[in-house]
Amino acid sequence: MKITAPRGTFDILPGDALRWHWLEAAVRRVFGYYGYQEIRTPVFEHTELFQRGIGETTDIVEKEMYTFTDKGERSLTLRPEGTAPVVRSYVEHKLYSKGGITKLFYMGPMFRQERPQAGRFRQFHQFGVELFGTESPLADAEVITVAVELYKELGLTGLEVLLNSIGCPACRGEYQKALLSRLTPLKEELCASCQQRLHKNPMRLLDCKNPRCRELTEDVPPVTDYLCSSCRGHLEQTLSSLDGVGIGYRLEPRLVRGFDYYTRTVFEVINTGLGAQNAVCGGGRYDHLVEECGGPPTPGVGFASGMERLLLTLEQQGKFAGFSSAPQVFLIALDEKLAADGFALATGFRREGIATGSCLEVKSLKAQLRAADKLQAEFVVILGEDEWKDGQVSVRRMADGKQWRVDREEVRQFIKDLLGREL
Ligand code: HAM
């Protein structure tokens, strides 16, 4: 039986790798402008980290984690997200000890056992930032700005920032009480998960995907009605800072996000053209997570962005039309005796930084030209016996068939000049 990739996973084939490289380079570049430094954490962690960090009553912890027991009887989990691991590392290595703010970014695979569909996978990739050490609303505005500016740099259009505040534990407590008294009479009509969550964490009900639960919670009062004055002030300052840099947003009072670590600001960036799985980015503030993971009280704020969904959006918007990994030159040797000379010439091109392909086998001119054409090489350099004896080679421009005879000692410079002129 043929073995295939597990459901919800996929291979990144050579034809697609270039897009990933391009995206990864842009992410590193833009995060660099804002002073974020890379951190790499393991792909698996102690299960307890996610139970404690993300929250026992969340969909991710209840239903979606890849958890296994290793041969030492330890419960481990493939990371479903990057925030809890970064916080764990921040605490473990006392990155707070230098004082001030710490800005970290990460990029890599995450794992969630969700039902696969367009834009939703079981192994997917995220990049994200986490900013520690300040309660300033400017930090909230900055992480939203980093995301939006990065998307702008990528050339993405049609995105919308949705934003909400879910308050601090004090004002959220009041809201949870209000939700509880409103939804308890409807308990029997809620889905099984929501019935269980109602008493433990009623705000989770606003996040339920079940259509009946959505209906029942449709006209509950918005969390923003319950914000205390300091949370309200925080929200207002975050919004005015975004206004100041021209970043648009829509206030979305139902947005609560599927993690228990959030406090105050939560946000998502959606692409209206993506269908059901339309969030390309999600994030928010988490002022108690560092403490919950054993560190000193340290506020934090960050976001993560799904790379597959971004690449899908970019493809839909035609951003990859001009992408090519075509060689600049393709080397053709027409005689077995010239194969080694051809190899040496190709190596010389590559040493000069010219991307060069070849067949590595002597075939007919027609077959080798076909190979060059398939790879979309710009120029072909042909070593024929008679020309080689005269110290010459032929250079052909594939686009129009124009051909030159060039001294073999000068061919590298000749090609470089042609490529330079093409630029
Ligand atoms: P999240 O909203 O769960 O947040 O994920 C962020 C992004 O990852 C989503 O907006 C989506 O683009 C992508 N994503 C999530 N699940 C999948 C999936 N199954 N398949 C494909 N893409 C997916 C977090 O993970 C938080 N840690 C974000 C954060 C960072 N909050 C504060 N700091």
Side-chain angles (χ1 to χ4, degrees):
M1 198 186 67
K2 200 162 67 179
I3 299 175
T4 56
R7 194 165 135 73
T9 72
F10 59 90
D11 301 307
I12 298 170
L13 296 173
D16 290 333
L18 210 61
R19 301 172 180 198
W20 284 82
H21 295 164
W22 171 82
L23 176 59
E24 288 159 8
V27 168
R28 288 176 202 286
R29 191 169 62 244
V30 174
F31 287 175
Y33 297 157
Y34 285 81
Y36 289 82
Q37 289 186 306
E38 185 170 2
I39 182 163
R40 300 186 191 193
T41 63
V43 289
F44 60 85
E45 298 272 356
H46 291 292
T47 302
E48 197 193 338
L49 173 69
F50 301 113
Q51 290 168 332
R52 236 204 284 169
I54 298 175
E56 298 271 12
T57 54
T58 57
D59 273 359
I60 291 184
V61 171
E62 276 185 350
K63 304 176 192 165
E64 296 169 2
M65 295 206 301
Y66 281 101
T67 296
F68 59 98
T69 307
D70 76 356
K71 293 194 171 61
E73 296 300 313
R74 285 166 288 255
S75 178
L76 300 170
T77 294
L78 294 183
R79 60 180 184 197
E81 59 107 45
T83 308
V86 169
V87 169
R88 195 263 313 136
S89 179
Y90 176 81
V91 172
E92 186 171 337
H93 301 286
K94 298 190 173 60
L95 299 185
Y96 48 80
S97 59
K98 282 187 238 125
I101 59 169
T102 306
K103 292 175 162 192
L104 304 172
F105 85 85
Y106 53 91
M107 189 153 28
M110 307 289 161
F111 308 85
R112 295 184 194 174
Q113 193 164 355
E114 297 192 84
R115 200 166 48 78
Q117 54 175 267
R120 190 160 76 188
F121 307 94
R122 291 183 168 171
Q123 174 175 325
F124 59 97
H125 297 76
Q126 282 184 343
F127 58 77
V129 305
E130 310 296 350
L131 190 165
F132 296 98
T134 175
E135 278 192 61
S136 166
L138 281 179
D140 308 50
E142 182 183 295
V143 298
I144 296 170
T145 304
V146 180
V148 173
E149 294 291 310
L150 170 61
Y151 300 148
K152 234 190 260 173
E153 171 116 352
L154 296 174
L156 279 167
T157 53
L159 300 182
E160 192 176 19
V161 177
L162 308 183
L163 201 147
N164 193 20
S165 171
I166 56 167
C168 60
C171 55
R172 198 187 314 158
E174 289 306 307
Y175 184 57
Q176 303 257 51
K177 270 193 227 154
L179 283 180
L180 188 63
S181 62
R182 174 128 181 181
L183 295 169
T184 303
L186 308 172
K187 187 172 175 185
E188 298 308 311
E189 292 182 66
L190 296 166
C191 75
S193 301
C194 285
Q195 291 194 13
Q196 279 187 355
R197 291 168 179 178
L198 181 61
H199 286 277
K200 289 193 205 147
N201 194 349
M203 213 170 68
R204 277 274 74 81
L205 272 62
L206 302 186
D207 204 32
C208 183
K209 314 276 182 302
N210 181 301
R212 182 66 187 139
C213 295
R214 291 200 85 88
E215 240 173 75
L216 292 170
T217 57
E218 197 163 49
D219 42 36
V220 298
V223 54
T224 36
D225 284 359
Y226 286 78
L227 294 182
C228 62
S229 64
S230 106
C231 287
R232 182 164 301 286
H234 187 95
L235 175 61
E236 280 162 10
Q237 284 180 49
T238 302
L239 299 183
S240 64
S241 308
L242 289 173
D243 293 338
V245 290
I247 304 256
Y249 50 82
R250 174 155 62 87
L251 286 174
E252 179 48 70
R254 275 192 73 100
L255 184 70
V256 293
R257 308 242 326 118
F259 300 84
D260 284 351
Y261 51 60
Y262 288 125
T263 49
R264 296 186 163 173
T265 312
V266 287
F267 66 95
E268 283 186 353
V269 182
I270 58 164
N271 161 21
T272 36
L274 261 188
Q277 303 305 314
N278 64 359
V280 292
C281 166
R285 176 167 279 284
Y286 47 88
D287 286 346
H288 306 290
L289 185 58
V290 173
E291 209 176 343
E292 275 157 23
C293 291
T298 310
V301 57
F303 76 81
S305 196
M307 298 175 77
E308 288 78 6
R309 289 188 198 172
L310 279 183
L311 289 169
L312 220 68
T313 309
L314 285 157
E315 178 156 35
Q316 279 174 357
Q317 297 182 359
K319 291 292 178 305
F320 298 126
F323 267 52
S324 149
S325 52
Q328 292 162 303
V329 171
F330 192 91
L331 212 116
I332 293 178
L334 290 180
D335 190 287
E336 203 60 61
K337 288 186 284 234
L338 298 177
D341 292 313
F343 173 64
L345 202 56
T347 305
F349 280 128
R350 292 162 181 155
R351 283 179 176 151
E352 301 263 338
I354 301 168
T356 306
S358 77
C359 279
L360 292 172
E361 282 174 29
V362 174
K363 297 181 185 165
S364 70
L365 175 63
K366 205 170 150 199
Q368 294 195 66
L369 278 175
R370 214 181 304 127
D373 197 45
K374 213 163 139 192
L375 288 175
Q376 297 177 316
E378 264 183 89
F379 295 98
V380 159
V381 173
I382 305 167
L383 277 69
E385 208 175 354
D386 293 344
E387 291 158 312
W388 192 253
K389 267 191 217 134
D390 295 342
Q392 293 194 314
V393 293
S394 293
V395 173
R396 179 192 293 202
R397 184 161 58 203
M398 294 297 275
D400 56 7
K402 190 169 162 56
Q403 203 152 314
W404 299 266
R405 264 180 100 128
V406 186
D407 267 4
R408 67 188 195 211
E409 300 305 329
E410 283 160 21
V411 66
R412 288 207 300 269
Q413 193 53 49
F414 184 81
I415 293 276
K416 273 180 160 177
D417 289 347
L418 280 176
L419 288 169
R421 231 175 282 144
E422 300 275 304
L423 292 174

